[in-house]
Amino acid sequence: MPSISVHEVSKNEATKFIGLANWDAMGGVLVQSPRVSETRKIARQAAALACLDFFEKQTTDNFEVPGQKSEHDGKALVSNSKPVDCISQPDRVPLVLNLIDSPGHIDFNAEVTAALRVTDGALVVVDAVEGKAVQTDEVLRQALREGVKPVLMINKCDRLFIEQQKSPEDSFDRMQQIVDDINRFISDHQQDSLPNHRVSLFDGSACFGSGYYGWGCSASTYQRKGATAKREKEQRLTRETFIKEIMRPIVRMHRACGVLPTLKKDNKEKDRLARVRDILSCTMSPRSIPSFLETDEDNSDIDSKKLLKKTMMAWLPAADVLVDMIAEHVPSPVEAQTVRAPLIYTGDTEDECGKGISACDPLAPTVVYVCKMTPSLTKKNRMLGFGRVFSGQIKPGDVLRALRADGIESKAKVSQVMICGIGGKVQNIECAQAGQLVVLDGVDEALGKAGTLTSSQTGKSIRHMNFTVTPVVRHSVKPKDKAKVTKMVSELQQIVKADSTALFFFDKDTKEHILAGAGELHIEILVSSLQQNTGIEVELSEPVIAFRETVQSSPEEAALAKSDNKHNRLWFKASPLSDDTIECLRDESDGACLDLKVLGRSLVGNCAWSAAEASRIWAVGPEATSSGGRTGDEDQKTCVLVDSTFGLQIPQDAKENIITAFSQVTRQGVLVNAAMRGVRFDLVDAKFHSDSVHRRPNSVVPAATRAMRGAFLMACPGLVEPMYRADVSGSSGTLNAAYSILGRRGGIVVDARSDGGTDTIQARLPVRCSFGLA
């Protein structure tokens, strides 16, 4: 095994997560324990996922090194994923844990997608009071699509006890309701070929706690501490025993600390510290009881909340429960890649690269997927690639095939291989093996924003990421000081390169620089980054929303077009695609790695297509103009071209010309020159000259373009606009104003329900009407 840096840490540091305060980009900290010999077997890669305001940041902040300042105090919004790291305690089985703390706002959902591609587990954080939210559904759906094992953290349980003053029984029932909601969603969206990914409070795959007060608890961790009654191994926890042995002691601790009123049966003659010591003595040895509790001084003026936080962090530290839960329920890279290989590899899993990925084999050909670029801290205008080694090894000086998402292939020479160390320091290493997260220097020019590196000359690429958000909000941008245009353009190009979904390009028609993002906040963050890095102040135009063109009917008549030389004729029909078909096209269309046979089988199995029509698919579109192309639709191929002729032998050169015309039409539509969405074009008849001289591209492509445009206009064309899903919740009878606001902004209420004194509205809100709402 190649040498890997060993970092000396104290015993106290070894039991905590290591925060990287100076690494403002996605990464993974790989800290090598002196007793670790096989990183790929004892490593755990996980991503922390949550909805905004679920205090996911506070949850992971409990694992920062003491004395290190956090970059996301309170409710501060973080737009990039952050790495935190942990190594196991010396008296436990060696463990290397990489936890990627991803942002919770929907505008930055691409960070979640990138994090899930290189991890094997998803720590899903849900609010104990609010329950499963819109973003929870989205991140869970992505995790299940990637074959990532979810584990659940129910956060803000302090609100159940203190704010709502629920009993232990009611608190447990509320948490169980959240678990049931999560499991129903998992059952509905999990792939049949994958293991069961349901979570449970009883087996430790779901835990609960409070990020604000720094504590966490699960059945496994609580039993390991010896806090529950002894029982036979085969006897499982029940609701009654869970409440009795876990919930009630936690609620008693809240009462002992003074944040809840004491009961009549409580010994009121003892002061608060004595009552706290009595509870801790049942589960902790005298040496383990915190020293601040060993005092005879008057403690009546001690702040109850501060006492609760210090006590709970000593009794049930959140770090312990999360590390134990991830170690027990998230698979190692060796176990995970066996299951995930068919999902992420575009080639045959029986070829040399496929076998290497499935086995996480360090001796197989090198396969590395770079999911994100981040600016180099030491080299100006250079980007570092963050990714994961799925197979083989990678070393400085390696020259590898670089496979971009748009199909462009080139060579990349790796100049440095790095991992992140304690305190945010980047550590150079001599070699990284399969299963490790790495930071690579020298690959940015070859890969663009993301892509695959491989040493195999025949190997295929890792499946490109499908993002659930697209840059639909556009602004023209110009500096207030016209002399700084060149500097602004250079800096924005670097910022956009580090953002998976942002776009920046020059519009030749309007002579303006266009900045595009997923939403209002996304644009704000991009402009803020520009100002922080360069001090350039810019002016933004009014937002322009990217619409899509579509059709709404299926006419019986076909559109006819003749080539200019009158020797070729084409008949086309256009029709709308169903939502299921559009979703299937998005899932199966993977950049340049589209397999039409696989797509056809998926359409037959999931969308009720016949085998005959699925086998005659020629192309899907729209195609990207380039890597990170102007339209931003390179991951949104939702149109299809089908050969519906009977008994005709279409010449190959004519077929290629028709596909070229299809790509042009779907990329630049008929109505407002916008990309098309959800349109099926059928070639129903054709007549070609027998001499290929008369079937040249300058004859067939214009004719096919006119025929498709005519078919589009005959099928009741229209525009579709991007919509946000908006969930509004509040106490019963308080949402009348929400109905009024949604109505004024063109919102459509989809569902309204009341549950336990809380009203919830689910609505659809046009993106163009959402500005200034949040």
Side-chain angles (χ1 to χ4, degrees):
M1 181 177 178
S3 61
I4 299 180
S5 302
V6 176
H7 308 292
E8 298 294 338
V9 294
S10 67
K11 184 176 180 179
N12 289 334
E13 288 175 330
T15 60
K16 296 188 179 288
F17 281 88
I18 311 301
L20 302 183
N22 297 321
W23 186 253
D24 190 22
M26 185 183 349
V29 191
L30 190 57
V31 181
Q32 189 72 3
S33 168
R35 296 165 59 182
V36 173
S37 59
E38 281 286 349
T39 302
R40 65 195 183 98
K41 293 182 180 179
I42 53 85
R44 298 293 186 273
Q45 326 285 13
L49 314 175
C51 178
L52 187 66
D53 290 340
F54 274 10
F55 281 96
E56 167 215 13
K57 301 298 179 186
Q58 289 184 348
T59 303
T60 52
D61 275 353
N62 284 288
F63 316 130
E64 306 274 350
V65 174
Q68 229 179 14
K69 183 180 179 181
S70 170
E71 288 194 355
H72 39 257
D73 296 329
K75 285 191 177 182
L77 176 67
V78 176
S79 60
N80 287 326
S81 296
K82 293 281 298 176
V84 290
D85 190 71
C86 162
I87 61 178
S88 63
Q89 295 182 15
D91 57 346
R92 296 188 183 181
V93 176
L95 173 70
V96 177
L97 172 60
N98 300 285
L99 182 64
I100 299 175
D101 182 13
S102 59
H105 197 282
I106 188 64
D107 281 5
F108 310 106
N109 196 260
E111 298 284 338
V112 174
T113 305
L116 289 171
R117 174 52 56 90
V118 297
T119 54
D120 304 315
L123 173 61
V124 181
V125 184
V126 177
D127 190 304
V129 176
E130 303 295 338
K132 184 168 66 70
V134 180
Q135 182 68 346
T136 311
D137 290 347
E138 189 55 48
V139 297
L140 259 179
R141 185 182 293 109
Q142 292 181 67
L144 296 172
R145 185 184 300 147
E146 289 282 341
V148 170
K149 174 71 170 68
V151 291
L152 177 65
M153 167 68 177
I154 303 175
N155 195 20
K156 294 189 183 179
C157 288
D158 57 286
R159 293 185 63 192
L160 296 178
F161 306 144
I162 303 173
E163 181 181 315
Q164 299 186 345
Q165 295 196 7
K166 288 183 178 291
S167 65
E169 292 79 7
D170 291 341
S171 298
F172 175 83
D173 291 341
R174 173 55 183 162
M175 293 190 301
Q176 186 59 49
Q177 180 184 2
I178 293 173
V179 171
D180 292 341
D181 290 343
I182 294 292
N183 284 335
R184 277 194 293 271
F185 187 89
I186 291 175
S187 299
D188 293 340
H189 294 84
Q190 183 174 330
Q191 302 182 53
D192 297 334
S193 59
L194 298 180
N196 183 14
H197 284 165
R198 292 166 62 89
V199 297
S200 172
L201 286 168
F202 299 106
D203 66 5
S205 58
C207 68
F208 61 98
S210 169
Y212 181 80
Y213 287 101
W215 66 271
C217 183
S218 70
S220 301
T221 303
Y222 208 75
Q223 288 174 323
R224 192 175 295 115
K225 290 178 177 290
T228 57
K230 293 183 179 179
R231 59 172 58 85
E232 297 296 330
K233 290 184 178 180
E234 62 272 10
Q235 184 179 354
R236 299 180 60 187
L237 275 173
T238 63
R239 176 183 181 274
E240 290 72 21
T241 55
F242 194 102
I243 293 171
K244 177 183 178 181
E245 299 174 6
I246 299 177
M247 298 298 296
R248 286 178 181 170
I250 293 176
V251 175
R252 280 202 303 270
M253 181 62 76
H254 283 66
R255 295 190 187 280
C257 290
V259 296
L260 291 177
T262 57
L263 302 177
K264 292 182 179 180
K265 63 181 180 180
D266 293 334
N267 188 351
K268 298 182 180 180
E269 295 180 357
K270 291 186 177 182
D271 60 21
R272 283 185 293 174
L273 297 187
R275 293 198 296 268
V276 170
R277 287 197 300 269
D278 289 345
I279 297 175
L280 293 182
S281 62
C282 298
T283 61
M284 301 176 67
S285 64
R287 292 183 179 181
S288 302
I289 294 178
S291 58
F292 68 86
L293 297 174
E294 304 294 339
T295 179
D296 295 328
E297 298 178 2
D298 180 29
N299 54 72
S300 58
D301 60 342
I302 297 178
D303 185 88
S304 300
K305 293 185 176 181
K306 291 182 179 179
L307 175 60
L308 176 65
K309 184 171 185 176
K310 294 177 67 175
T311 302
M312 295 300 290
M313 290 183 69
W315 183 32
L316 299 172
D320 283 0
V321 65
L322 291 183
V323 171
D324 290 344
M325 180 172 64
I326 292 173
E328 183 176 354
H329 295 281
V330 172
S332 68
V334 174
E335 298 167 332
Q337 288 186 199
T338 302
V339 176
R340 296 186 66 197
L343 301 178
I344 63 175
Y345 184 55
T346 58
D348 187 352
T349 54
E350 294 301 318
D351 65 22
E352 57 178 358
C353 291
K355 290 181 179 179
I357 295 173
S358 298
C360 194
D361 186 0
L363 302 180
T366 301
V367 179
V368 180
Y369 186 76
V370 175
C371 67
K372 180 178 173 63
M373 294 293 171
T374 183
S376 173
L377 300 179
T378 58
K379 300 178 181 179
K380 188 177 181 180
N381 296 329
R382 289 296 299 273
M383 306 293 287
L384 301 177
F386 174 75
R388 171 168 169 168
V389 185
F390 282 97
S391 173
Q393 305 176 3
I394 188 168
K395 296 176 290 186
D398 285 352
V399 179
L400 305 172
R401 291 173 62 214
L403 307 176
R404 289 163 55 141
D406 56 8
I408 298 176
E409 179 178 335
S410 60
K411 294 289 185 180
K413 184 176 181 180
V414 181
S415 58
Q416 284 181 295
V417 179
M418 296 167 282
I419 54 175
C420 303
I422 294 176
K425 296 180 180 178
V426 180
Q427 305 287 338
N428 288 311
I429 59 174
E430 297 178 1
C431 179
Q433 289 191 345
Q436 286 187 275
L437 302 181
V438 293
V439 180
L440 305 178
D441 190 10
V443 302
D444 54 322
E445 294 296 332
L447 288 180
K449 290 189 176 184
T452 304
L453 300 172
T454 179
S455 61
S456 173
Q457 297 304 312
T458 58
K460 303 296 183 180
S461 66
I462 297 292
R463 188 176 298 277
H464 185 53
M465 297 176 291
N466 280 327
F467 300 113
T468 59
V469 294
T470 54
V472 295
V473 178
R474 300 182 179 188
H475 294 264
S476 66
V477 56
K478 61 181 179 180
K480 293 182 178 179
D481 184 354
K482 296 182 179 180
K484 296 182 178 180
V485 171
T486 303
K487 186 176 182 181
M488 180 200 73
V489 170
S490 176
E491 184 62 29
L492 279 177
Q493 288 174 342
Q494 292 296 106
I495 293 173
V496 167
K497 193 171 184 180
D499 191 301
S500 300
T501 54
L503 290 177
F504 179 66
F505 59 91
F506 181 72
D507 191 320
K508 296 180 179 178
D509 296 332
T510 62
K511 309 298 182 182
E512 294 176 323
H513 291 95
I514 305 298
L515 181 63
E520 183 181 16
L521 182 62
H522 193 188
I523 295 292
E524 181 182 332
I525 293 294
L526 294 173
V527 173
S528 176
S529 298
L530 172 66
Q531 293 177 343
Q532 290 176 3
N533 296 345
T534 63
I536 298 176
E537 295 185 0
V538 299
E539 295 178 354
L540 294 178
S541 68
E542 291 296 317
V544 177
I545 306 303
F547 283 67
R548 299 290 178 262
E549 300 186 17
T550 190
V551 295
Q552 304 172 62
S553 66
S554 303
E556 296 183 358
E557 296 183 356
L560 164 65
K562 301 178 183 179
S563 61
D564 292 339
N565 58 17
K566 311 300 182 183
H567 293 308
N568 307 286
R569 296 184 180 187
L570 297 163
W571 286 264
F572 274 97
K573 284 185 178 181
S575 58
L577 293 173
S578 66
D579 291 340
D580 290 341
T581 303
I582 293 174
E583 188 66 26
C584 186
L585 287 171
R586 290 180 55 187
D587 290 342
E588 296 296 337
S589 301
D590 176 31
C593 304
L594 174 66
D595 189 330
L596 292 179
K597 293 183 179 179
V598 174
L599 173 62
R601 289 194 294 267
S602 180
L603 291 173
V604 171
N606 302 322
C607 305
W609 280 45
S610 68
E613 61 180 346
S615 65
R616 307 192 75 178
I617 295 176
W618 278 4
V620 296
E623 293 286 347
T625 54
S626 62
S627 178
R630 168 177 168 172
T631 65
D633 291 325
E634 56 269 20
D635 296 314
Q636 303 291 327
K637 297 182 178 179
T638 57
C639 300
V640 63
L641 174 64
V642 181
D643 175 17
S644 297
T645 61
F646 295 95
L648 291 181
Q649 293 294 329
I650 307 295
Q652 183 61 32
D653 58 342
K655 176 181 177 181
E656 293 175 356
N657 292 333
I658 293 172
I659 293 174
T660 300
F662 168 77
S663 178
Q664 294 177 359
V665 170
T666 54
R667 188 170 62 241
Q668 192 171 15
V670 182
L671 302 179
V672 293
N673 290 336
M676 291 187 182
R677 181 183 187 274
V679 182
R680 168 175 169 169
F681 287 99
D682 288 88
L683 176 65
V684 295
D685 199 1
K687 293 182 179 180
F688 296 102
H689 197 280
S690 58
D691 191 346
S692 61
V693 174
H694 299 290
R695 301 195 306 265
R696 289 177 176 173
N698 60 354
S699 296
V700 177
V701 172
T705 300
R706 291 194 300 271
M708 290 186 205
R709 288 174 177 265
F712 179 86
L713 292 173
M714 293 170 61
C716 190
L719 296 175
V720 291
E721 65 176 332
M723 304 280 284
Y724 284 141
R725 172 181 163 182
D727 280 14
V728 185
S729 61
S731 57
S732 183
T734 61
L735 297 185
N736 291 333
Y739 284 102
S740 176
I741 293 172
L742 290 172
R744 288 199 304 267
R745 291 177 175 266
I748 302 172
V749 176
V750 178
D751 186 26
R753 59 184 182 274
S754 180
D755 182 19
T758 300
D759 292 345
T760 301
I761 301 173
Q762 185 182 116
R764 295 282 185 265
L765 183 66
V767 173
R768 60 184 170 86
C769 300
S770 67
F771 300 103
L773 180 62

